[in-house]
Amino acid sequence: MSDLLAEFEKALRNHDWYYDYSDDGSVWRRGLAEADNIRRIRNELNSTGKEAEAEALWKEHCPWAKGRGKP
């Protein structure tokens, strides 16, 4: 696995997927920064031909990509 894919998987694994529901502003800002970083890495992976790998990792880690629906 490439370094960027490993970084992407780590970011997905550690992301607070429900940050948007927090009443704590610092939690919300941290979650937003994490989400921005995930988008940045995914865009970079897509631009280097790693779309399929990025999509597979996304589906593995994103709660609403697994068919559970966004709460």
Side-chain angles (χ1 to χ4, degrees):
M1 181 180 297
S2 76
D3 289 341
L4 194 56
L5 279 170
E7 181 183 348
F8 186 57
E9 183 171 24
K10 182 179 179 182
L12 292 169
R13 190 174 45 249
N14 294 323
H15 182 51
D16 176 3
W17 292 97
Y18 302 98
Y19 75 93
D20 206 28
Y21 297 95
S22 178
D23 292 331
D24 184 332
S26 66
V27 171
W28 186 84
R29 284 187 296 277
R30 183 174 50 248
L32 183 62
E34 291 171 356
D36 287 343
N37 185 51
I38 288 170
R39 277 189 287 279
R40 179 194 61 78
I41 297 170
R42 189 171 186 181
N43 288 338
E44 191 172 338
L45 287 167
N46 290 346
S47 71
T48 60
K50 302 280 188 196
E51 302 96 328
E53 294 92 334
E55 181 68 14
L57 288 171
W58 177 263
K59 286 180 178 179
E60 180 180 339
H61 294 284
C62 175
W64 36 93
K66 296 177 184 178
R68 288 188 261 167
K70 190 171 182 178

